[in-house]
Amino acid sequence: MTQLDTIQRTVQQLRDLLNKGEIFTALPNMLGKVIESVAVEPATPIKIPRDDKTAIVKIRAIQKRIKQTSDPSVTDDEIDFLVAHLASTNPAVRDKGVFFLFNDLFQAEAFTNEQIKTLFKRLQAPDILFNHIFEPQNNGIFLRSFSLMILSGMIYADQNRYHVLTKADYLATVQNIAVYILLEKDGRGYVEKKGWAHAYTHIGNMLEELSQVGVLPRAEKVLLMAAVVEAWRRVETPLVFGEDHRMALYLSSLTNVNKFYSETLLMCLKNWQHALVNVRPQESYSFWVRWYNRNRLLQALALRADLPQPIADYIQQIVDPQFSSQVQR
């Protein structure tokens, strides 16, 4: 059994317990233990497309064709080509090319229902969504992160146009996204010469879309919220490219839907705070990265005028200058 298989099984068990109402307050710590159990694996070669010029020509040709027809369509081979080029380290191919084209295709309703279902599953396959995720920081982040972004766009398109994804499809997606959140340690935003990675912004987009899927039980959305808070606590990359405000938007929006979500976020924040009670500053880069990632998220939440009052009050309490001074260098 692979490490991914083990974590998939553990997350499934946690989902089952949560849906049965057998765990709630223990959920943050249980998810945190999953994150901390992950072992780094040796680096392996990453397959990256090298046909930048040819790819751009093909992408532009598809874009032109879509705009010039009243009945747009895309072939299965073209979809495979686009998915493969989400792994490109050239932002002109991956970001301004494939990502923009996928958006155009969704807007034009160019996919068949079968293509939507097939693509939705393909983007969640282990070799894509978890591409080299256990290895040291690497270029696999681009395929992982942009597949996640396309998936969130697909959920929006399905909810508003296609209506072909089933409850089972969405439940399977919750499983995979929860595992992805717990595993993703690469929080890089903009990467020099390679463009945006932005995994945590794309996670925020995905969670926002899933939060609006009506067929998903409340427990599934609670699990995702707790997972992202626990992952944010532990990521050792500075989240300084707007991820804090994106995540604050998602959290404030969901906590306004139902009081239970507000209580969940408050529980997660209190659990986080409790873990810091006896913390002393460490002379380490990772300690201060995590500390200031936390500060930025709390500040972004505090700026939200729509944040439920109990959460706003608690954040005001824990970011009080007197408390903060206890952990200053």
Side-chain angles (χ1 to χ4, degrees), residues 4 36 44 48 55-56 65 70 74 77 86 88 105 116 128 169 175 209 224 261 295:
L4 179 59
E36 292 167 0
T44 57
I48 297 173
I56 291 172
R65 189 186 76 222
S70 59
V74 60
D77 285 345
L86 286 172
S88 175
L105 293 168
I116 286 288
I128 292 185
D169 292 327
Q175 169 72 20
E209 295 303 332
L224 292 171
Y261 297 127
N295 283 359

Side-chain angles (χ1 to χ4, degrees), residues 105-166:
L105 293 168
F106 289 134
Q107 288 287 336
E109 299 185 28
F111 298 101
T112 65
N113 288 353
E114 190 59 36
Q115 285 176 329
I116 286 288
K117 293 181 73 70
T118 300
L119 177 60
F120 197 65
K121 291 179 180 179
R122 179 69 187 115
L123 291 174
Q124 296 180 61
D127 63 318
I128 292 185
L129 189 59
F130 305 107
N131 185 262
H132 297 269
I133 201 167
F134 291 103
E135 300 171 21
Q137 189 177 90
N138 60 70
N139 287 328
I141 183 60
F142 297 106
L143 179 57
R144 299 195 302 267
S145 181
F146 274 78
S147 296
L148 185 69
M149 188 61 172
I150 299 299
L151 282 167
S152 67
M154 292 190 74
I155 293 174
Y156 177 85
D158 183 68
Q159 293 285 296
N160 291 279
R161 288 190 179 87
Y162 288 93
H163 306 291
V164 298
L165 299 177
T166 66

Side-chain angles (χ1 to χ4, degrees), residues 82 138 149 265 272 326:
L82 295 176
N138 60 70
M149 188 61 172
L265 180 56
W272 194 351
Q326 297 173 11

